Amino acid sequence: MSTKEIETNAIKMVAAGKGILAADESDGTIKKRFDSINISSTEENRRSYRELLFTTKGVEEFISGVILFDETIRQSAKDGTPFPTLLAGLGILPGIKVDKGAKPLAGAPGETVTEGLDGLRDRLKEYYDLGARFTKWRGVINIGEGLPTPYAIETNTHALARYAALSQEASLVPIVEPEVLMDGSHSIETCYEASEATFKCIFEELSKQRVLLEGMILKPNMILSGKDCSSRAGVEEVAEQTLHCLKATVPDGVTGIAFLSGGQTDEEATAHLNAMNAAGPHPWELSFSYGRALQAPALKAWVGESDNVSNAQKVFYHRAKCNGAARSGSYSAEMEKEVAAA
Ligand code: 13P
């Protein structure tokens, strides 16, 4: 393991004004996204779509890293340039999702555990050789009647820490992603409790398993009301509760926190991050590692038609720019008019 390499790359991943694009949708998830625009999930459609994102002119101003899927890290742009080489040429760090998805947790109805530890050491070596410099693993925590159980929190955080230690051993920066889902009608307080228990447990596990905090990025959910909650908390409350929860659970030594968007609307995800950074400075960089909240408008504008590529790139650039501004608390709703006017 090169401590210096992972510390340097962790700092790059949360560079000022920038964040991470999560483009690591598994086959099942990208199919769902493509179904929503009525195009079929062929290998060539997936490749073209990812090329559209990665070749958006100027996107490197706001994007420090891209999380790829196993298929994508092996694909190339039309001109034959492998995606990891293309990204590295723009100064964007290539990363890779290494988990194998959330599977039902034995003896715990309604809960899951993320799999993928078997053979991980060998896969990490291959990914490093393919150009990856960081990794991602997502553990999923459900809120429900009597959920989450301590059993689900412990098994998921234990696996996350095992993955993180192996990644660092391979000189890859682990993105440690414990996601408390926003599905349900629960209150923001319930989300706070489940998240606090999860984040506490993850740092206990990371410490036991000797993970270097300076060489990792935490990718948590924000503290939100459930999607179907009848009175959802507003931007200021979300920012306040999220900061409170993170300050209570995340050690100062962690280089950066890069939120997932988790089903928030694009503009909500930007406004929440902006409000948190406006209330800074904080002990860690507060950034984004969004999938849907960065891609949704681009996907809609593209709908699989090559004639729409430049318009889709324009809206993708705009979302990246808005989130880049949210890194310093300088985003405003006014910025949303720029793309409409363009
Ligand atoms: P969303 O921002 O769409 O939640 O995706 C982020 C991610 O990488 C989930 O693992």
Side-chain angles (χ1 to χ4, degrees):
M1 133 151 116
S2 162
T3 306
K4 187 159 178 351
E5 183 178 3
I6 53 178
E7 287 185 0
T8 307
N9 284 336
I11 290 168
K12 278 192 200 158
M13 287 162 72
V14 289
K18 296 185 188 183
I20 294 165
L21 165 67
D24 60 328
E25 296 84 1
S26 61
D27 289 338
T29 306
I30 196 73
K31 183 179 180 312
K32 239 192 275 169
R33 305 277 182 267
F34 281 7
D35 282 349
S36 76
I37 54 165
N38 274 323
I39 74 156
S40 61
S41 183
T42 61
E43 181 175 354
E44 177 49 23
N45 280 344
R46 295 191 292 270
R47 195 206 60 75
S48 313
Y49 174 60
R50 266 69 180 248
E51 178 166 1
L52 176 164
L53 297 173
F54 307 159
T55 57
T56 294
K57 213 165 164 279
V59 82
E60 67 276 12
E61 296 162 51
F62 314 113
I63 299 295
S64 56
V66 173
I67 317 175
L68 303 167
F69 183 57
D70 182 75
E71 174 185 85
T72 325
I73 199 170
R74 303 169 196 278
Q75 287 176 323
S76 301
K78 260 216 173 82
D79 69 4
T81 314
F83 282 148
T85 310
L86 187 158
L87 293 168
L90 293 168
I92 296 175
L93 286 171
I96 181 79
K97 181 228 288 293
V98 301
D99 69 65
K100 298 230 164 158
K103 307 284 157 57
L105 176 62
E111 301 194 290
T112 60
V113 65
T114 300
E115 295 188 347
L117 289 169
D118 286 356
L120 182 57
R121 179 177 272 129
D122 295 337
R123 289 198 289 130
L124 292 173
K125 185 172 175 335
E126 187 194 6
Y127 287 139
Y128 189 96
D129 292 343
L130 285 167
R133 290 297 174 266
F134 68 92
T135 53
K136 183 195 101 169
W137 178 292
R138 172 173 172 261
V140 183
I141 302 295
N142 282 317
I143 291 180
E145 195 63 41
L147 307 187
T149 62
Y151 168 39
I153 293 177
E154 282 158 21
T155 42
N156 275 288
T157 55
H158 183 265
L160 270 161
R162 279 194 64 196
Y163 136 82
L166 281 163
S167 293
Q168 291 190 338
E169 182 191 84
S171 299
L172 292 157
V173 179
I175 294 186
V176 173
E177 180 178 3
E179 175 174 8
V180 176
L181 293 179
M182 70 187 286
D183 298 341
S185 55
H186 53 268
S187 65
I188 189 168
E189 288 80 14
T190 303
C191 175
Y192 186 106
E193 278 169 33
S195 304
E196 185 185 41
T198 304
F199 303 164
K200 256 198 190 136
C201 197
I202 185 75
F203 283 102
E204 282 166 18
E205 285 295 339
L206 290 167
S207 160
K208 276 191 227 163
Q209 299 190 43
R210 305 171 188 181
V211 173
L212 181 72
L213 299 179
E214 290 76 9
M216 64 159 274
I217 303 293
L218 179 72
K219 176 164 173 168
N221 54 285
M222 295 183 194
I223 308 300
L224 303 163
S225 317
K227 224 184 273 172
D228 305 321
C229 175
S230 50
S231 60
R232 303 198 61 222
V235 173
E236 289 310 317
E237 192 178 0
V238 168
E240 216 172 277
Q241 294 294 323
T242 305
L243 286 172
H244 196 265
C245 187
L246 293 174
K247 283 184 181 151
T249 54
V250 184
D252 290 2
V254 170
T255 304
I257 296 174
F259 293 102
L260 58 94
S261 60
Q264 303 174 59
T265 67
D266 323 330
E267 293 182 23
E268 266 171 9
T270 310
H272 289 151
L273 179 64
N274 187 66
M276 284 187 254
N277 277 312
H282 305 297
W284 351 259
E285 290 293 326
L286 282 186
S287 186
F288 58 91
S289 174
Y290 294 159
R292 283 162 284 180
L294 272 170
Q295 296 183 45
L299 191 65
K300 249 200 213 149
W302 175 54
V303 293
E305 300 286 340
S306 51
D307 285 356
N308 296 333
V309 165
S310 92
N311 197 36
Q313 290 183 325
K314 200 158 64 188
V315 295
F316 174 54
Y317 179 86
H318 177 256
R319 267 304 4 109
K321 183 178 175 184
C322 289
N323 286 301
R327 287 282 284 106
S328 58
S330 58
Y331 163 81
S332 72
E334 277 297 292
M335 273 182 85
E336 299 296 347
K337 294 185 189 147
E338 282 174 23
V339 75

